[in-house]
Amino acid sequence: MAASTAERLSGEVLREGADLNADPSWRNLYRIGVVSAGLSVLLIIVPIVLVFTVPQPPFAGGAEVLRYIASNKPVYLIEFVSFVGLGLPALVVFLALYAALKHLDKSFTALGAMIGIASEIMALAYNSSPPSLNGGLLYLSDQYTAAATDAQRASLASAAESLMAVSNTPVNAIGILTALGILLISLPMLRGVFSRGVAYLGIATGVVGIVCEPLRDLIGPAYFVYGLLLPAWFIAVGWKLYRLGSSSPQVSIVGRTVAVAGQS
């Protein structure tokens, strides 16, 4: 009798959506997620600051890009590492969000985390960055500077243009997937754990990212709308993960209901 009452009460609580507490057993992952979110923000903000403070690589022209790299190698390396390195902490944030939200909506949480993590793994595998930021261009730039003839330099410039053309397609695809992951994993936030403000911020970030990523080369400075929403989202989810990681363990409402029913 007690067991059946416990099952009935726990089922009612779940249907009413009362179990809004994140699983405390993932506390260490939440804490790692906080550090990862902070690092993600840093790796997004640094390139944005550099865009407004130092000359940027040309969007086209193999010879121009190679000459730019040779003259601005420290800045180029910082931007390249920031774009490519963002994938690692970002995938940890998606994993931490899955642990915090999976009890609210298994389907959307799993889809959002899977797509988000997959996009970051693809970004790391492809060295994802804007076409003019590519590890291969560093090598070509060194060769271009050391070239002895115009024919050699022309060949290296042609190779640089080909490399930028090839790298352009996966960048857009990866960016769209990241934005889609943010959108999907923000939907369960509407049901608890995170505030509705954070949920709506994530939804807006995802929608704007899905629109902006494929149009990056056409919309110019308007792309920075997404560039500002993205770190804001990481800050918001990082702050909540910090609170989840630093809070004391709490027994969920369902657990308390079952315990009380079992004692009756």
Side-chain angles (χ1 to χ4, degrees), residues 27-46:
R27 189 174 297 104
N28 287 334
L29 179 57
Y30 302 150
R31 292 168 179 168
I32 297 172
V34 174
V35 176
S36 299
L39 186 56
S40 297
V41 172
L42 178 64
L43 294 176
I44 294 172
I45 294 298
V46 167

Side-chain angles (χ1 to χ4, degrees), residues 94-225:
F94 278 110
L95 182 60
L97 290 177
Y98 172 77
L101 297 168
K102 59 185 174 62
H103 65 294
L104 296 178
D105 190 319
K106 291 181 173 63
S107 298
F108 279 111
T109 303
L111 284 172
M114 180 190 68
I115 293 173
I117 291 172
S119 70
E120 303 306 338
I121 292 174
M122 290 169 60
L124 291 169
Y126 278 99
N127 291 330
S128 176
S129 59
S132 56
L133 291 175
N134 190 292
L137 294 176
L138 286 165
Y139 172 78
L140 292 176
S141 177
D142 291 339
Q143 297 298 308
Y144 185 89
T145 302
T149 67
D150 290 341
Q152 290 175 330
R153 284 190 286 270
S155 176
L156 291 166
S158 178
E161 291 177 359
S162 299
L163 183 59
M164 288 188 292
V166 170
S167 64
N168 189 40
T169 300
V171 170
N172 287 339
I174 291 168
I176 294 170
L177 287 176
T178 299
L180 178 60
I182 292 174
L183 171 61
L184 292 176
I185 208 165
S186 297
L187 295 177
M189 295 180 187
L190 293 170
R191 304 179 64 176
V193 179
F194 287 76
S195 68
R196 285 184 172 267
V198 177
Y200 289 133
L201 174 61
I203 293 170
T205 301
V207 171
V208 171
I210 291 171
V211 173
C212 287
E213 282 292 349
L215 302 176
R216 175 187 291 185
D217 296 336
L218 300 177
I219 61 178
Y223 180 80
F224 284 105
V225 174

Side-chain angles (χ1 to χ4, degrees), residues 9-72:
L9 290 175
S10 62
E12 290 176 356
V13 172
L14 282 173
R15 285 193 297 272
E16 292 172 2
D19 186 16
L20 303 181
N21 295 323
D23 187 348
S25 65
W26 294 94
R27 189 174 297 104
N28 287 334
L29 179 57
Y30 302 150
R31 292 168 179 168
I32 297 172
V34 174
V35 176
S36 299
L39 186 56
S40 297
V41 172
L42 178 64
L43 294 176
I44 294 172
I45 294 298
V46 167
I48 291 177
V49 172
L50 292 177
V51 164
F52 292 102
T53 57
V54 298
Q56 294 299 298
F59 289 106
E64 290 79 3
V65 171
L66 296 181
R67 285 195 291 266
Y68 169 88
I69 296 172
S71 302
N72 303 272

